Amino acid sequence: MILYEYPFNERLRTYLRLEQLFRRLFELVTRESPVDHHFALATIFEIMEVAARADLKSDLLRDLDRHKSLFEGLRDNPAIAQDMLDSIIAKLEQCYSVLHAQTGKTGQPLTENDWLMAIRSRISIPGGTSSFDLPAYHRWQNKPAAERRADLHQWIQCLQPLADSLGLLLSLVRDTGSTQKVAAMGGQFQQALPAGRPYQLLRLRIDAESGLVPEISANRLMVSVRLLRPNEAGGLQVTTENAAFELTLCA
């Protein structure tokens, strides 16, 4: 099954973009090739670019606090496992306190590193990090993999509170959904949404062997999915096939 996700608002769209970048970063850091570590650095700079949005930190803190208040309201509920509830609240409190303690924008310590900023200024230029442009960077790429990995872990430290907060919030959002099996008749599916239910995320799983690609659009009133099939030229064309998939709406 292939999973597709569709955010209902711009805030969650930013969260998902950052989550994707962090997944790529943590994967690249574990590898040994200088090329992989080059793209790990490029990903760090992408995260800094996305995280530079002025209201991102306040949005995250507000969401962490809102979730904590919701879970606090479940205390002493006999239908709730209290030890699990305490664990979730503790994680929310930990993420909130660490993120709140950070001053300035995410990645601020990295902007004070002239060597890193020299790389950042040239990494978007095609071939801009050649050995004759950045000899010190070329020297770093030729260090043993363990030393490069240690440097990357050090630079990532100031980004870790952001990654931890995003991971926790998105896992809580995803856990609110209940999955239903639906069918697109003639390649089309629509579902009206109940009024007053503020959905945040749509998750769609479709069989990889079907070869179909879902085109999703959604708002507070309606979800619409159109199924497309890749053609020989590599593009996508509308199909009228009937197909089943799994749909999860997370509030």
Side-chain angles (χ1 to χ4, degrees):
M1 303 290 280
I2 299 179
L3 171 65
Y4 296 85
E5 292 188 317
Y6 186 89
F8 278 74
N9 55 66
E10 191 60 32
R11 186 182 79 261
L12 205 68
R13 191 181 300 269
T14 300
Y15 290 179
L16 291 173
R17 285 174 175 156
L18 282 167
E19 181 190 47
Q20 179 184 7
L21 289 171
F22 276 117
R23 283 177 177 172
R24 184 208 300 170
L25 173 60
F26 296 144
E27 168 66 24
L28 289 170
V29 169
T30 63
R31 300 180 183 179
E32 297 192 354
S33 166
V35 172
D36 289 320
H37 290 172
H38 168 83
F39 286 106
L41 264 180
T43 304
I44 287 175
F45 298 144
E46 286 186 60
I47 291 170
M48 293 170 64
E49 192 73 28
V50 178
R53 203 187 76 184
D55 55 349
L56 175 65
K57 181 178 177 180
S58 60
D59 282 347
L60 282 166
L61 291 173
R62 185 163 51 249
D63 281 345
L64 289 168
D65 189 58
R66 181 171 58 83
H67 276 79
K68 179 176 175 291
S69 297
L70 289 171
F71 283 109
E72 288 281 7
L74 297 175
R75 288 196 184 277
D76 302 322
N77 186 324
I80 302 296
Q82 294 299 309
D83 55 344
M84 186 176 296
L85 181 64
D86 291 340
S87 175
I88 293 174
I89 292 174
K91 289 178 182 177
L92 287 164
E93 290 176 340
Q94 172 69 11
C95 285
Y96 184 96
S97 61
V98 175
L99 187 64
H100 186 266
Q102 280 194 315
T103 57
K105 294 182 179 180
T106 299
Q108 184 71 33
L110 301 182
T111 64
E112 299 168 2
N113 185 320
D114 293 339
W115 184 78
L116 283 176
M117 292 304 98
I119 299 170
R120 184 183 185 184
S121 67
R122 298 198 59 82
I123 205 165
S124 61
I125 302 172
T129 57
S130 299
S131 60
F132 53 83
D133 287 312
L134 295 171
Y137 180 51
H138 184 66
R139 169 70 185 88
W140 181 81
Q141 289 180 303
N142 281 275
K143 282 185 175 183
E147 292 185 29
R148 282 185 268 111
R149 194 179 298 114
D151 288 337
L152 288 166
H153 280 299
Q154 179 184 347
W155 297 328
I156 290 171
Q157 284 181 5
C158 64
L159 305 175
Q160 195 66 51
L162 174 62
D164 293 342
S165 297
L166 283 169
L168 179 58
L169 284 172
L170 287 173
S171 69
L172 292 174
V173 169
R174 288 170 177 136
D175 286 346
T176 64
S178 57
T179 301
Q180 56 180 319
K181 291 186 177 181
V182 299
M185 306 305 295
Q188 302 279 342
F189 171 81
Q190 285 190 334
Q191 178 176 317
L193 299 179
R197 190 79 188 273
Y199 289 106
Q200 295 197 66
L201 182 68
L202 180 152
R203 311 186 82 208
L204 186 154
R205 292 182 186 271
I206 191 166
D207 189 350
E209 294 184 359
S210 71
L212 297 171
V213 178
E215 182 182 71
I216 305 169
S217 60
N219 55 43
R220 61 186 180 86
L221 300 175
M222 179 76 68
V223 167
S224 178
V225 179
R226 184 173 67 160
L227 297 179
L228 308 173
R229 181 171 291 283
N231 56 34
E232 294 180 358
L236 295 172
Q237 60 187 33
V238 177
T239 181
T240 57
E241 303 173 44
N242 297 336
F245 54 86
E246 295 179 358
L247 190 70
T248 306
L249 291 168
C250 305

